[in-house]
Amino acid sequence: MMMTDGDRRIRKVLVVGGGSAGWMTAAMLGQILRHDCEVTLVESDDIGIVGVGEATIPPIRTFNQTLGIVERDFIRATQATFKLGIEFVGWGDRDTRYFHPFGTHGRNFDMVSLHHYWLRARAMGDTSSFDDHCIAWALARGGKMARPVADQRSVLSTFDYAYHFDAGGYARFLRSHAEARGVRRIEGTIGGVDLNSETGFVEAVMLADGRRIEAELFIDCSGFRSLLLGQALGEPFEDWSHWLPCDRAVAMPCAHPAGPVNPTPYTRSTAQEAGWQWRIPLQHRIGNGYVYCSQFIDDDRAATLLAGRLDGEALGDPRFLRFTAGRRKRHWVRNVIAVGLSSGFLEPLESTSIHLIQANISKLMGLFPDRDFDPAVSDEFNRIALGETDRIRDFIILHYKLMRRDDAELWRYTAAMDVPDTLALKLDHFRRHARHIARELDLFAPDSWLAVHLGQGNLPEGLDPLIDYRGIDARDWLGQLRQALAFEAARAPDHARFVADAMA
Ligand SMILES: Cc1cc2nc3c(=O)[nH]c(=O)nc-3n(C[C@H](O)[C@H](O)[C@H](O)COP(=O)(O)OP(=O)(O)OC[C@H]3O[C@@H](n4cnc5c(N)ncnc54)[C@H](O)[C@@H]3O)c2cc1C
């Protein structure tokens, strides 16, 4: 490539860290920066990775496609299964069960949204649940899986899917993808960071063995340590633990129960005495963990309770993790961009961390800097990144706020707590008018919010006034929808068969 005097292109990028964030970033940089840019990743075998991010949401498929990854290879390499949504157990009331699907509840047949008709039918004695109107749940509850279709006349056009996968397997898979595209990997532990004394920009990182690695752009993927953004540049952390008080987790995978294995095509989240338990089925094992609040339970007790609630034989010892909910005030400062846990942490209740990694990577690609590092570019990056994180935060808090359980201190606290104004507005509007108020940068679509509101028993006082002008008794239509869902679910293959076919 010919160079000109005005060439301000960045020639050296260093990715610090080799967890999911590091290798997802390196794979994308390797794919996009094909010429004239050296991409290096440094990771420490001594420190290792968090390695527990196993449940995802549908945009991961776009990320893999952008990298040119073939689904078959990915599923084989990561022991992946398919995910249609999350079943919530014990959220709201102790005996509540509901499903947060990827997709919609039916298809709107009128300008008044379907959930208003369902609420009206319910008031007239209909006993069907809101979940009964969604194809993702019709498939999921029977252990079935199908591909969405484009034909909008079919109920199979109204859902989407993501994956459960082995996080270590994904990092290894992306590593070979990245290395095949020229990314250089250095193993070593960073012991120091050199800042330019005038500009405060990072110039190099120092490894414990004395090696010095220079770059122009640094991507901080160092996990909770936040080596560059948090430690070297001192970017403050905004603590959200008054809204999201869970601060620990214990993880303990188990074997599938004996007999033929048909993994559930969904994640399960069960509210417990001091937090909640995840269940994530992969091909070769089930991932389990208890996310809890250390004010209300100690580590040993949490591990014992989790061990007693597994579906199969425990595989390995419990692994404990500590965290604080919140985020750095900015994700991009000078020539450092944080991706992954170094930028902040939201508990995995809605499987959003890997998505936030992906979101920062796509913003980086949309707002890639040159050596001038114009602050207008990083300001825009931060505006979007913070908005995205804050909207997801609100959605997660919604689950805690809508708890009506009186049997544990944690739930009494979260039911009574104040929530961010942005969420208070949505709660109030839904309670009074049964409408979801959407805001810019909301990752979760109205149907996701409806699933949680209605699933956790937040039944609204009013309905859309337009419903009374329409003169439609939707009970027949809702009944026909349920029949169409049952028909499609019955002819779909079992999830295990679907996974085997996807790998063939
Ligand atoms: C309990 C729990 C459950 C989770 N479940 C989910 C989920 O279901 N879905 C989801 O999307 N997300 C989930 N997450 C989040 C997910 O695990 C992370 O977003 C993801 O793994 C990315 O982590 P990371 O790459 O940022 O950090 P890490 O995996 O911690 O990687 C950090 C890297 O930095 C390197 N490093 C650190 N310090 C140094 C140093 N001094 N020198 C050299 N290298 C260094 C480490 O060696 C490592 O390679 C969960 C998180 C937790 C805590």
Side-chain angles (χ1 to χ4, degrees), residues 83-379:
K83 174 179 170 189
L84 291 163
I86 304 177
E87 183 188 24
F88 287 89
V89 179
W91 288 88
D93 289 316
R94 211 182 149 91
D95 57 358
T96 305
R97 293 184 100 96
Y98 74 94
F99 196 63
H100 170 198
F102 296 142
T104 61
H105 294 79
R107 192 163 19 86
N108 280 328
F109 58 94
D110 186 43
M111 62 183 304
V112 174
S113 293
L114 182 142
H115 72 282
H116 293 278
Y117 285 104
W118 174 76
L119 285 163
R120 169 66 52 91
R122 194 174 176 276
M124 294 165 80
D126 190 314
T127 55
S128 62
S129 75
F130 191 49
D131 293 341
D132 289 341
H133 302 91
C134 118
I135 184 67
W137 180 234
L139 292 164
R141 73 172 155 204
K144 302 293 192 79
M145 181 63 202
R147 295 252 176 223
V149 301
D151 181 354
Q152 296 216 339
R153 288 166 304 177
S154 166
V155 287
L156 290 176
S157 65
T158 59
F159 79 105
D160 207 343
Y161 69 86
Y163 309 104
H164 305 121
F165 60 62
D166 180 317
Y170 191 49
R172 285 190 293 278
F173 183 72
L174 291 180
R175 175 178 163 185
S176 54
H177 186 283
E179 287 182 328
R181 283 155 186 79
V183 174
R184 190 165 63 106
R185 172 184 181 267
I186 296 177
E187 200 285 314
T189 301
I190 297 168
V193 180
D194 278 356
L195 301 186
N196 182 294
S197 55
E198 278 171 26
T199 61
F201 276 47
V202 175
E203 286 187 333
V205 297
M206 308 294 296
L207 300 188
D209 62 12
R211 279 177 290 171
R212 184 173 195 273
I213 313 171
E214 292 181 358
E216 289 154 321
L217 172 64
F218 292 81
I219 315 294
D220 185 350
C221 300
S222 62
F224 287 128
R225 286 176 175 78
S226 198
L227 273 186
L228 304 185
L229 185 70
Q231 291 187 30
L233 299 186
E235 185 64 10
F237 185 80
E238 200 172 302
D239 185 329
W240 290 337
S241 47
H242 48 296
W243 291 313
L244 296 168
C246 289
D247 55 355
R248 307 237 171 132
V250 52
M252 198 185 297
C254 72
H256 283 288
V261 174
N262 186 35
T264 49
Y266 56 91
T267 304
R268 182 178 297 134
S269 158
T270 307
Q272 304 288 16
E273 48 291 285
W276 60 276
Q277 182 175 333
W278 79 74
R279 180 187 179 280
I280 301 176
L282 308 184
Q283 291 178 42
H284 59 314
R285 61 170 165 80
I286 301 174
N288 307 284
Y290 187 1
V291 173
Y292 54 95
C293 176
S294 61
Q295 268 182 62
F296 303 122
I297 195 169
D298 65 40
D299 294 348
D300 287 347
R301 176 96 184 119
T304 306
L305 287 171
L306 177 64
R309 290 168 176 157
L310 304 181
D311 287 353
E313 186 196 339
L315 303 172
D317 293 330
R319 254 191 84 206
F320 293 94
L321 298 121
R322 292 179 175 211
F323 45 79
T324 306
R327 61 157 168 73
R328 297 280 155 193
K329 287 217 184 279
R330 292 172 297 175
H331 290 184
W332 181 342
V333 177
R334 293 174 214 143
N335 59 342
V336 172
I337 299 170
V339 177
L341 300 173
S342 58
S343 67
F345 182 71
L346 278 167
E347 62 183 73
L349 189 60
E350 286 285 353
S351 322
T352 42
S353 280
I354 292 173
H355 176 76
L356 283 170
I357 293 173
Q358 177 182 344
N360 271 9
I361 295 172
S362 44
K363 280 189 295 294
L364 170 60
M365 294 309 158
L367 291 163
F368 202 80
D370 60 19
R371 276 189 275 150
D372 293 334
F373 285 100
D374 180 353
V377 175
S378 49
D379 285 352

